[in-house]
Amino acid sequence: MSRHVICPSSELESGERRIVEVEGLSIGVFNVDGEYHALNNACPHQLAPLCEGTISGTTESDGVGEVDWVRDGEIVRCPWHNWEFDLTTGESVFNPHEVRAGTFEVDVEAPADAGAPDEACACDAESYGTELAGDEPPVETYDVDVEDEAEFGEEMVVLRV
Amino acid sequence: MAQGAGERTPSDPGEAPTLIDCDVHQSWASDEEIRRHLPLEFDRYGVNLPNLLYNNPGGVMREDAAPAEGELPGTTPENVAAEHLDPYGIDYAVLTGHATNLALLPNRRYAAALARAYNAWVQEDWLPADDRLLGSILVPPQAPEAAADLIREFGEDDRFVQVLMNTASPRPYGQSFYWPIYEAAAEMDLPVAMHPHHDGLGISNPPSGAGYPGSYFEWHNILPAVVMGQLNSLVTEGVFVEYPDLDVVCIEGGFGWVPHLLWRMDKNWKGLRSQTPWLERPPSEYVIEHVRFTSQPIEEPERPEHLRQIFEMMHAEETLLFSSDFPHWDGDSPDHGLPPLDDDLESRIFAENARELYDLPR
């Protein structure tokens, strides 16, 4: 398993996503209400770029004609054929046990542990629904003073593949 | 673009095409691109096409193919090439646009003017831009004489390879009202294609005889019913007897139903043929000889071998044409849309059937 520092957590806010290329894979990294999740950017149906679809919710029903809007912000809809997937598990909505998108471990780490974002992630990442990180890795501009680090340093989003 | 795209490479010059996409939707980014071709009489109308009253929860255009956030995909030849033709190694793409719904307009003169403007736009802005692009002459079926004029006018340009109209209409396409269209198409040696577009709106009938569906889902499920009705009418009314050189292409109307309709027509013909004595052969033979079906949206039976069985039942080695429907939400990947097929059937579906139909260079 390899470890990739994606970006400071402030650059991937709740509701946002970032699509990165690591280890020859395209992977979508999502912040869902403060929790980070990563999905393979390839739909199990026809390998379309699943992670580039709309993030929204889905519907449930307690009976014919009754519709509840649920899981708002937790569902990504593949731009080809509209299959819905749960961002937090990779499971499809229509058949969660058999049809799933691949998932990866993603977490945040304290700046001292994380290090700078990967060159590949910072420069080659496609950003969707969010601004690309600046040209310079933001960590380089941080105050490196040890006393200030806890207060001013940022957590980094780290992906394991 | 999908992962895995790029497994094919375009055919070398002089080699037979290996991938022909028979349904690629180009769009105008601004109405002005069409409006500038409208006669002054209709200038103030602009482009006034009916909008579907059903909503797709994910939208209709593929978000991943848009050149930038908020922009539509497929609005320039460069975008179509970069997102679709180049990565998949497509040799030819038949452009089908986004305006067959002008068939739903009650103003027949305006519909004809709009069709003419659309064709001029394709001729000027699209076909010269990329040798892989092939045009369709859009016609207003509700104005058959005007449609025939357009076929004869734009048919002189051999970059247009077929006539195109909507599947939805106020009356079935076999009726003699429409025959001027078929006469002109046969004269210009062009197939007549039909493609669903907002079926049920405007002057067209509901998408099935049952009436108006209640959701985009219900509507999209039943779109093939219109195609079945049109094909049934074309065959029984004798269009292929009257125009023995005419070919028809059913785009995006499904094909799993084809064996059922052919069997049913042949079975009924044995006892009921006296009502259509002009038919000289079992109805299915006219279909297999004269009608082609595009593959998207590919049927997805539980077991892939059932799809291969449907291919066999419908004579797919002659009748099926690959199509992607780029850049729509329900499009099929050239690499992953169809299950593995034997080489001969694959080359027929992905290129050879279309090459023969459109008389493209080998």
Side-chain angles (χ1 to χ4, degrees):
Chain A
M1 185 176 282
S2 63
R3 180 177 164 283
H4 303 270
V5 179
I6 303 302
C7 63
S9 60
S10 65
E11 292 178 17
L12 189 60
E13 293 184 347
S14 182
E16 292 184 339
R17 88 191 92 186
R18 178 176 293 241
I19 293 168
V20 297
E21 307 284 336
V22 291
E23 308 283 320
L25 291 169
S26 178
I27 296 172
V29 182
F30 299 81
N31 179 336
V32 181
D33 205 16
E35 300 283 326
Y36 297 89
H37 302 277
L39 253 58
N40 192 359
N41 187 24
C43 182
H45 181 210
Q46 292 190 11
L47 303 186
L50 164 66
C51 297
E52 295 178 37
T54 300
I55 299 170
S56 76
T58 188
T59 56
E60 282 177 3
S61 179
D62 289 331
V64 174
E66 290 182 30
V67 178
D68 293 318
W69 185 254
V70 296
R71 295 150 81 180
D72 194 43
E74 296 177 17
I75 304 292
V76 66
R77 194 184 279 282
C78 183
W80 297 33
H81 312 104
N82 285 352
W83 289 14
E84 300 162 296
F85 291 86
D86 189 321
L87 287 169
T88 66
T89 61
E91 293 172 347
S92 70
V93 172
F94 76 90
N95 189 352
H97 301 299
E98 291 183 19
V99 179
R100 306 165 187 229
T103 55
F104 300 92
E105 268 184 52
V106 60
D107 214 336
V108 288
E109 290 183 10
D113 302 329
D118 281 22
E119 198 65 18
C121 296
C123 302
D124 298 333
E126 281 181 65
S127 173
Y128 194 95
T130 182
E131 294 297 314
L132 260 180
D135 292 331
E136 298 297 320
V139 281
E140 290 187 359
T141 66
Y142 291 161
D143 188 343
V144 293
D145 185 276
V146 175
E147 288 177 10
D148 290 338
E149 188 177 83
E151 191 179 347
F152 297 108
E154 278 196 87
E155 291 178 322
M156 303 298 281
V157 179
V158 176
L159 174 68
R160 287 185 170 77
V161 176
Chain B
M1 151 193 344
Q3 289 196 12
E7 288 171 11
R8 291 167 188 270
T9 51
S11 306
D12 292 330
E15 275 187 20
T18 56
L19 183 52
I20 300 174
D21 185 344
C22 294
D23 189 20
V24 169
H25 293 281
Q26 89 288 15
S27 301
W28 51 94
S30 151
D31 283 0
E32 206 47 47
E33 295 172 42
I34 302 295
R35 189 176 180 164
R36 70 191 173 90
H37 295 290
L38 281 174
L40 285 176
E41 176 194 357
F42 294 117
D43 181 55
R44 291 177 60 126
Y45 291 37
V47 179
N48 186 6
L49 289 166
N51 272 323
L52 191 61
L53 301 174
Y54 299 110
N55 289 304
N56 180 318
V60 168
M61 293 293 203
R62 267 176 44 198
E63 293 164 288
D64 63 298
E69 206 180 335
E71 290 181 20
L72 286 178
T75 54
T76 60
E78 294 74 26
N79 173 260
V80 171
E83 288 292 333
H84 191 57
L85 307 185
D86 295 340
Y88 291 108
I90 292 169
D91 294 300
Y92 293 106
V94 181
L95 298 175
T96 48
H98 283 112
T100 53
N101 59 340
L102 58 81
L104 310 173
L105 297 168
N107 185 333
R108 300 162 68 214
R109 292 184 59 254
Y110 173 62
L114 210 46
R116 197 184 180 290
Y118 168 93
N119 292 326
W121 167 71
V122 172
Q123 192 174 40
E124 286 186 17
D125 291 6
W126 285 82
L127 300 180
D130 194 318
D131 287 341
R132 293 169 292 185
L133 302 177
L134 305 172
S136 303
I137 304 169
L138 180 63
V139 298
Q142 69 272 52
E145 300 294 347
D149 289 345
L150 289 170
I151 293 166
R152 292 190 174 96
E153 178 186 346
F154 288 93
E156 292 290 339
D157 181 343
D158 60 15
R159 292 171 303 173
F160 285 99
V161 297
Q162 67 182 1
V163 174
L164 177 64
M165 54 192 199
N166 210 15
T167 48
S169 64
R171 58 174 100 181
Y173 277 157
Q175 294 187 3
S176 57
F177 173 79
Y178 296 107
W179 289 17
I181 297 173
Y182 309 136
E183 185 177 330
E187 183 187 314
M188 302 306 288
D189 200 19
L190 294 169
V192 174
M194 58 177 123
H195 187 299
H197 195 177
H198 299 179
D199 294 21
L201 278 186
I203 60 171
S204 69
N205 288 309
S208 90
Y212 291 97
S215 62
Y216 188 100
F217 170 43
E218 185 182 341
W219 173 77
H220 202 264
N221 292 342
I222 208 65
L223 286 174
V226 184
V227 190
M228 294 173 76
Q230 300 292 19
L231 184 54
N232 189 34
S233 170
L234 286 165
V235 172
T236 56
E237 295 272 9
V239 169
F240 300 116
V241 179
E242 186 73 12
Y243 303 103
D245 296 326
L246 183 71
D247 292 320
V248 164
V249 188
C250 300
I251 305 176
E252 208 178 343
F255 56 83
W257 49 267
V258 171
H260 164 73
L261 183 63
L262 299 197
W263 295 334
R264 194 172 172 101
M265 287 198 296
D266 282 2
K267 176 175 173 164
N268 281 339
W269 177 73
K270 290 168 188 162
L272 302 174
R273 55 145 301 283
S274 61
Q275 293 185 324
T276 57
W278 46 83
L279 295 183
E280 296 148 353
R281 295 181 281 153
S284 67
E285 293 188 15
Y286 293 102
V287 174
I288 291 161
E289 189 177 322
H290 293 275
V291 183
R292 301 293 174 258
F293 304 90
T294 63
S295 60
Q296 179 280 338
I298 192 72
E299 311 281 8
E300 297 184 0
E302 226 176 303
R303 291 160 57 186
E305 63 262 34
H306 290 166
L307 184 60
R308 295 189 195 96
Q309 290 168 9
I310 291 172
F311 286 167
E312 190 181 341
M313 295 173 203
M314 67 180 288
H315 300 252
E317 73 283 359
E318 293 176 68
T319 60
L320 194 64
L321 315 172
F322 174 77
S323 62
S324 73
D325 198 33
F326 174 86
H328 290 171
W329 71 283
D330 52 345
D332 284 327
S333 156
D335 291 334
H336 306 291
L338 274 67
L341 303 169
D342 72 56
D343 288 352
D344 191 47
L345 183 57
E346 180 170 297
S347 71
R348 297 294 310 180
I349 293 172
F350 281 90
E352 197 57 15
N353 287 340
R355 196 193 62 72
E356 286 177 6
L357 176 71
Y358 297 124
D359 198 20
L360 300 169
R362 191 183 286 278

